[in-house]
Amino acid sequence: MSTKKYAVLIYPNFSLQEITCLTSCLTVWFEEKIDIIASEKKLYTSEDGFSVMPDKTVDEAMLSDYECLILPGTIYPLVPLFDEKLIDFLRKGKNADTLIAAISSSPILLSKAGLLEGKDFTSGYFMQMADTFSFVDKTHFVHKPVVEDGSVITGIGMFFREFAQAVLNRLGYDVGEHFMDFKGSDFSEEELTFYWTDDEYKEFLEELKEYTET
């Protein structure tokens, strides 16, 4: 396990679906630990009804401690957008050597925090949002699935796979050229039949004893 540190910033009605392709790879494939950060130490409910308790508040966390900060989208972006504690936390990213990865509506939080000044970006929010807030620099809005510019990666929510691949590649993980884009018909019966190694099977049998022996 590496010493790299990662974090996800959450807020009310955040989208798990947009980031779990990325976070599950970090934790399951590469055995990384992810801190969950929020404005308050309370339960936050995702847009699909999952309750999550943050590990740290924005007052307790140091953005510069993390190699990457991941921001999910939310169907109610005004809540975090007017959360000054959260925006102040993001502003510290200007002076931190931290990769910021924001998907869907969350890039507007980066705009308010000044992290997109002079940077190309994309987002999944409605364009009237960009017209409403003067801090959004529409001249740098790029209508592509995923945009990388310096220390910021932004993506549109429907392209969560491509977003995850871009972030993982930037972090130095080898996920291959066809990251999670296979179809079932691409595989043979043999390729879809799975076996543990001998050592893994022995480990499973030892674990099984805890449930079967009295």
Side-chain angles (χ1 to χ4, degrees):
M1 186 176 294
S2 76
T3 58
K4 296 178 180 179
K5 294 181 67 176
Y6 304 100
V8 170
L9 187 64
I10 64 171
Y11 14 79
N13 294 286
F14 66 97
S15 173
L16 274 174
Q17 177 266 333
E18 292 169 346
I19 64 168
T20 48
C21 183
L22 170 57
T23 57
S24 64
C25 286
L26 285 172
T27 56
V28 178
W29 290 14
F30 303 111
E31 299 184 313
E32 302 292 2
K33 170 72 168 61
I34 298 177
D35 285 345
I36 309 300
I37 302 173
S39 285
E40 300 178 65
K41 202 66 171 288
K42 67 178 185 180
L43 283 174
Y44 285 80
T45 303
S46 70
E47 65 181 11
D48 46 357
F50 286 86
S51 295
V52 177
M53 176 67 75
D55 301 297
K56 297 181 180 181
T57 67
V58 292
D59 293 327
E60 297 168 333
M62 292 288 294
L63 184 51
S64 58
D65 286 343
Y66 297 98
E67 181 156 348
C68 179
L69 177 69
I70 302 163
L71 283 76
T74 169
I75 56 176
Y76 298 115
L78 292 180
V79 177
L81 189 64
F82 286 90
D83 182 339
E84 286 305 315
K85 287 173 60 176
L86 186 146
I87 298 299
D88 283 342
F89 173 75
L90 288 175
R91 287 192 180 106
K92 298 171 185 175
K94 290 183 178 181
N95 301 315
D97 187 20
T98 302
L99 178 67
I100 307 293
I103 192 169
S104 189
S105 61
S106 64
I108 200 166
L109 308 180
L110 305 187
S111 290
K112 188 172 183 181
L115 300 183
L116 294 182
E117 291 178 1
K119 293 184 182 294
D120 289 343
F121 69 97
T122 191
S123 181
Y125 57 67
F126 296 105
M127 292 309 298
Q128 290 94 330
M129 290 273 286
D131 294 332
T132 300
F133 298 107
S134 60
F135 52 74
V136 177
D137 184 359
K138 292 195 297 181
T139 63
H140 282 275
F141 198 115
V142 181
H143 298 275
K144 292 183 178 180
V146 178
V147 174
E148 299 185 47
D149 193 336
S151 60
V152 177
I153 298 178
T154 51
I156 296 174
M158 63 190 293
F159 299 104
F160 57 87
R161 184 191 66 81
E162 292 84 352
F163 174 76
Q165 184 174 21
V167 175
L168 290 166
N169 285 338
R170 279 289 297 276
L171 293 172
Y173 297 103
D174 182 7
V175 296
E177 296 181 2
H178 302 285
F179 173 70
M180 294 191 176
D181 65 349
F182 294 106
K183 298 177 181 178
S185 58
D186 294 334
F187 297 89
S188 66
E189 179 179 337
E190 182 180 359
E191 290 172 317
L192 294 177
T193 305
F194 309 104
Y195 292 95
W196 281 309
T197 65
D198 289 343
D199 287 342
E200 289 170 337
Y201 185 42
K202 288 178 182 178
E203 184 178 345
F204 165 75
L205 291 177
E206 286 299 316
E207 184 179 350
L208 179 62
K209 290 179 182 179
E210 299 178 17
Y211 296 89
T212 58
E213 293 183 350
T214 57

